[in-house]
Amino acid sequence: MKLTVVGCSGSFPSAESACSSYLVEADGFRLLLDMGNGALGELQRHCGLYDLDAIFLSHLHADHCIDMCAYFVARYYRHDGGRCAPIPVYGPEGTEQRLTTAYADTPSASSMSEVFDFHTVKPSTFEIGPFTVHTERVAHPVEAYGIRIEHGGKTLTYSGDTGVSTALDELARDADLFLCEAAFTHGKENIPDLHLNGREAGQTAARAGARRLVLTHIPPWTDPQANLADAREVYDGPVELAAARKTYEI
């Protein structure tokens, strides 16, 4: 598997990065995890507008899904080649309604489903292209899912947005790469079931036995180096900060 960080900023885009969006590729199949603010523009650095094969939305906060409205425009109103066939979109219950409401002026109430083939995510194991994926609900104020992606004997886990969660521990169990949010700062924010800090991300990776930790979803107002140092205090494996356009072979 190849992982490309399309965007990794938390809450709102930074000067260096769009919000959460990650491209996972294997066997010619392209799966996008989330499409937050600014992600659609950055995505075009890595693949064509119409080259995605499926999209997974971890939850329906704007910094993880709002560029789906722009992607709707690109697919629905495409002139050259005609309208795109529907692309599978996996998201929490209400995803179609959320995007339709956010766009606010679709030609009809069903226009989103003319280019997006919506599938409701629940805790389960299923196939997306060549990937076997397992999803579990994690700790966030809205319905949110972490995802474990397996292919060719390798595993990638993406936390989505979450506080400390036993479900996340299991999703990250022995993962070859654990892409984990670390939006909060240890000793500063202390809001249960919302986000992890760097120390908690490191502790999760350690409990799960993950082989590599990549910290992501750090907002522009948070010092990423502090979160990195906090994670390293409690996790002995390799750990680094996600950065836009960084790629990983898994």
Side-chain angles (χ1 to χ4, degrees):
M1 288 184 285
K2 178 183 178 182
L3 169 67
T4 300
V5 178
V6 178
C8 58
S9 186
S11 300
F12 58 95
S14 70
E16 291 79 29
S17 177
C19 284
S20 293
S21 191
Y22 311 93
L23 182 63
V24 183
E25 300 173 81
D27 298 345
F29 191 93
R30 295 180 174 94
L31 168 64
L32 191 71
L33 309 178
D34 287 339
M35 193 184 287
N37 317 44
L40 185 60
E42 284 296 316
L43 178 65
Q44 293 171 74
R45 297 180 183 274
H46 308 289
C47 73
L49 271 175
Y50 309 110
D51 292 338
L52 291 178
D53 296 293
I55 299 167
F56 171 85
L57 301 177
S58 64
H59 65 293
L60 300 179
H61 280 155
D63 59 327
H64 291 257
C65 74
I66 201 62
D67 265 27
M68 289 290 290
C69 291
Y71 196 41
F72 165 77
V73 173
R75 297 186 72 87
Y76 190 90
Y77 293 104
R78 184 176 72 162
H79 179 72
D80 293 337
R83 184 177 299 168
C84 297
I87 181 175
V89 174
Y90 300 84
E93 188 171 354
T95 295
E96 180 178 1
Q97 292 79 6
R98 174 75 167 95
L99 297 179
T100 301
T101 300
Y103 190 87
D105 193 26
T106 54
S108 75
S110 61
S111 293
M112 283 283 172
S113 63
E114 293 180 39
V115 293
F116 298 140
D117 179 17
F118 290 101
H119 299 259
T120 299
V121 172
K122 296 294 181 184
S124 60
T125 299
F126 54 101
E127 307 295 321
I128 302 179
F131 305 112
T132 298
V133 305
H134 182 70
T135 54
E136 288 289 350
R137 187 161 180 178
V138 290
H140 205 52
V142 300
E143 186 176 359
Y145 291 89
I147 185 170
R148 179 183 178 94
I149 304 171
E150 299 177 356
H151 177 74
K154 300 294 184 179
T155 299
L156 162 67
T157 297
Y158 169 48
S159 67
D161 280 8
T162 181
V164 175
S165 166
T166 55
L168 182 61
D169 291 0
E170 291 309 309
L171 286 174
R173 185 72 57 199
D174 299 323
D176 294 284
L177 192 149
F178 181 25
L179 181 64
C180 185
E181 76 116 287
F184 282 169
T185 302
H186 177 60
K188 181 181 177 184
E189 299 102 340
N190 184 24
I191 305 172
D193 298 335
L194 183 57
H195 290 296
L196 299 170
N197 58 46
R199 184 179 183 86
E200 290 168 335
Q203 289 170 332
T204 300
R207 287 194 302 269
R211 296 179 177 87
R212 186 177 189 180
L213 174 62
V214 178
L215 302 179
T216 192
H217 196 271
I218 299 176
W221 54 44
T222 297
D223 179 4
Q225 294 301 321
N227 286 18
L228 181 63
D230 287 342
R232 284 175 170 163
E233 285 186 0
V234 295
Y235 173 66
D236 293 333
V239 54
E240 62 187 272
L241 298 169
R245 305 177 198 173
K246 185 75 181 289
T247 61
Y248 300 89
E249 295 293 335
I250 304 167

